[in-house]
Amino acid sequence: MTPLQAAARQYLDGITKGDLAFATEGFADDAVLEIPFSSLPVSRVEGRQAIQNLMTPVIESMARRDWSNIRFIETGTDDLVLMDFECDFEQVQARGSYQNSYHCVIEGSGGKIVRWREYYDARIGDAVVGREAMNTAVVLDYATSFQKENSRTLVERVFHTDAEYLVNLPREQAPETIDAIPWSGLWKGHAAILEFEDIFEANWTVDEITPTDIIAKDDDVIVFGRMVLTAKATRKVADTPLMIRFTVEDGKIRKYHLMEDTYGVVLSHRSGGHFEVDNNGSKRQEPRPNAAA
């Protein structure tokens, strides 16, 4: 077995075990996974972490994941693998089993997988994946494509035309935050969301978005995680936990509501001054007057 064939087999073994970190050990960091004929919202992802994110809801929706009739087809080169196999999965929810046949075209370099292109009967696959897994795939598509794909293309592709995009609180509830956080508040519709994107990109560089937990039920998907941003004006870093609630309908995002460490985000843009705080029985200045600006 060549190193590339071994990496391909390890991917299947990792899925059987439910261990996606192990499954993708043989993938290059910038590897691409493509599912050309899938009607799922995401048919292409780039990067080992993005591949793990895409496969997570699939793994979680299946209680048993077995492969059979695995066969490699010789290509005459170690950097190209053709592989056929069949699956026999048992779903967590009582919707029966899932069987399908697959053909994969796997390209490699130095024994690492750089492109995995997967063909199967998408009609069978999409029928059993379920609405919640499909909605989660939409959310992960947006999270992994943010600030990587052209903003207009991404917004038009993943949001309904009248979608609501809410960051922290509506402006009417906290008007004093707008000067400090001009991208906060409610943005509705493609034009408004693109305006948000312009303001955000003028102020921030996204260093990292890491989902840690995802809860999906019916049309709602809630993502808990961590986001690391660098303020372009000050070069200060905001490392904030986040919670985003998505509502997905018909394969597109209808509502987006993000909550973050607002105080920490504001401080990353702070170049001077302080807040006057009156709570817990005392008045004080935050940050402390002697704190570095």
Side-chain angles (χ1 to χ4, degrees):
M1 185 176 291
T2 69
L4 191 59
Q5 289 174 337
R9 183 56 195 262
Q10 181 171 334
Y11 179 64
L12 298 185
D13 291 343
I15 290 176
T16 297
K17 296 176 181 179
D19 186 344
L20 288 172
F22 172 78
T24 57
E25 277 183 2
F27 284 69
D29 289 340
D30 59 350
V32 173
L33 172 65
E34 295 179 336
I35 314 173
F37 296 149
S38 176
S39 61
L40 290 169
V42 182
S43 60
R44 182 185 186 279
V45 292
E46 183 173 347
R48 186 161 53 190
Q49 184 61 56
I51 293 170
Q52 293 180 24
N53 291 344
L54 176 68
M55 292 302 298
T56 294
V58 177
I59 292 290
E60 292 177 348
S61 68
M62 302 295 174
R64 175 177 53 80
R65 300 167 293 275
D66 294 329
W67 310 100
S68 61
N69 299 324
I70 301 171
R71 181 171 68 101
F72 291 108
I73 303 168
E74 294 300 326
T75 64
T77 173
D78 289 344
D79 290 335
L80 178 64
V81 167
L82 303 180
M83 182 170 65
D84 292 334
F85 54 89
E86 297 173 4
C87 78
D88 183 7
F89 289 0
E90 179 184 344
Q91 299 172 77
V92 172
Q93 298 184 14
R95 291 196 297 266
S97 60
Y98 165 57
Q99 292 93 25
N100 214 329
S101 298
Y102 291 77
H103 176 73
C104 292
V105 180
I106 304 160
E107 301 172 34
S109 177
K112 291 282 190 178
I113 297 170
V114 298
R115 183 180 302 273
W116 179 293
R117 189 179 295 115
E118 184 173 291
Y119 300 89
Y120 64 99
D121 189 336
R123 295 169 300 177
I124 298 174
D126 296 347
V128 302
V129 165
R131 184 172 78 186
E132 291 167 356
M134 291 183 70
N135 290 345
T136 301
V138 175
V139 167
L140 291 174
D141 180 23
Y142 175 67
T144 56
S145 301
F146 183 68
Q147 283 207 328
K148 295 180 180 178
E149 184 178 334
N150 175 272
S151 294
R152 180 170 295 279
T153 301
L154 178 61
V155 168
E156 291 177 351
R157 182 167 64 81
V158 303
F159 284 94
H160 281 281
T161 56
D162 61 347
E164 294 184 358
Y165 197 104
L166 180 62
V167 179
N168 297 314
L169 294 171
R171 300 179 180 210
E172 295 77 13
Q173 292 186 29
E176 68 279 4
T177 65
I178 302 308
D179 285 342
I181 319 175
W183 52 87
S184 66
L186 177 63
W187 308 81
K188 188 167 184 178
H190 283 182
I193 295 173
L194 286 169
E195 182 183 354
F196 161 86
E197 297 272 9
D198 288 342
I199 295 173
F200 185 89
E201 290 178 9
N203 286 279
W204 291 107
T205 298
V206 178
D207 303 312
E208 180 183 345
I209 298 178
T210 306
T212 55
D213 295 285
I214 300 174
I215 302 172
K217 182 172 177 56
D218 299 328
D219 290 334
D220 291 325
V221 180
I222 300 176
V223 178
F224 298 90
R226 172 174 171 260
M227 179 167 59
V228 182
L229 309 169
T230 299
K232 292 183 177 180
T234 63
R235 305 310 303 167
K236 293 180 181 179
V237 173
D239 188 340
T240 172
L242 60 81
M243 187 281 288
I244 312 173
R245 179 174 181 173
F246 296 83
T247 300
V248 182
E249 297 176 2
D250 302 320
K252 288 195 173 186
I253 298 169
R254 174 74 67 185
K255 293 182 179 180
Y256 170 107
H257 186 182
L258 179 145
M259 301 298 292
E260 62 190 359
D261 176 7
T262 309
Y263 185 69
V265 169
V266 170
L267 285 184
S268 68
H269 276 275
R270 175 176 174 263
S271 58
H274 60 263
F275 300 102
E276 294 183 1
V277 178
D278 185 353
N279 63 25
N280 200 32
S282 64
K283 295 182 180 181
R284 63 189 185 279
Q285 295 179 356
E286 293 289 350
R288 298 291 192 264
N290 61 352

